[in-house]
Amino acid sequence: MLRARAAGRALPEKLVMRLVVISIGRLKQGPERELAERYRERFDDIGRKLGFRGLEIHEIPESRARDPASRITEEATAISAAIPAKSALVALDERGENIDSAAFARHLGAWRDQSVANTIFVIGGADGLSPDLRRKAKLSIAFGSATWPHQMVRVMLLEQIYRAATILAGHPYHRA
């Protein structure tokens, strides 16, 4: 049974894909947390209609190891433990692709349509992601060549996830 139409396509009755952001470090109370939560809530409102089960945030404490290699390894172990089987991994990485919002939406829509159970977005710590996690990623994206604080990367990612949902729904939020 079909329940809705988004961008001219019928969607399955069953919610098929869960989105999870795994991030090293926590957002403290303040404007970044409020903005991140606003985009997460907006996505939840529109995402259910598009076949997404929800958007979860999983915060992992920063490693206290002394050297960068040990920190990256410890953080990668914690991240890997939080990634469920049958997941599409998306790495937020300074070496990633600079893709536009429509291409990002196409990736999410394709994985949803392929019944990928989970799409996991990973934001590493201050020293970055382990090479192993970067290799496992189906997609590696960057928000330009500038270096961004992790708090801002999370807000920008959540906005892009929301924007992708609006693109998939044919909603006027995205005006390209």
Side-chain angles (χ1 to χ4, degrees), residues 62-153:
E62 295 176 57
S63 168
R64 300 257 187 232
R66 289 184 169 259
D67 64 287
S70 295
R71 283 191 297 271
I72 289 171
T73 300
E74 283 181 14
E75 291 169 353
T77 300
I79 290 168
S80 295
I83 299 173
K86 298 181 183 175
S87 296
L89 184 64
V90 178
L92 279 287
D93 185 76
E94 63 188 5
R95 293 168 285 264
E97 295 178 61
N98 289 306
I99 63 172
D100 65 28
S101 299
F104 183 70
R106 284 192 298 273
H107 281 289
L108 287 183
W111 292 329
R112 177 205 57 202
D113 295 347
Q114 295 163 7
S115 296
V116 171
N118 307 285
T119 295
I120 310 297
F121 299 91
V122 180
I123 302 170
D127 299 303
L129 290 170
S130 75
D132 187 48
L133 281 173
R134 288 195 317 264
R135 277 190 299 276
K136 289 178 182 176
K138 284 193 175 218
L139 178 65
S140 183
I141 58 176
F143 292 126
S145 57
T147 301
W148 295 98
H150 289 83
Q151 301 92 330
M152 294 303 297
V153 169

Side-chain angles (χ1 to χ4, degrees), residues 28-35:
K28 295 175 178 65
Q29 293 300 323
E32 295 91 355
R33 181 174 277 291
E34 291 169 17
L35 190 55

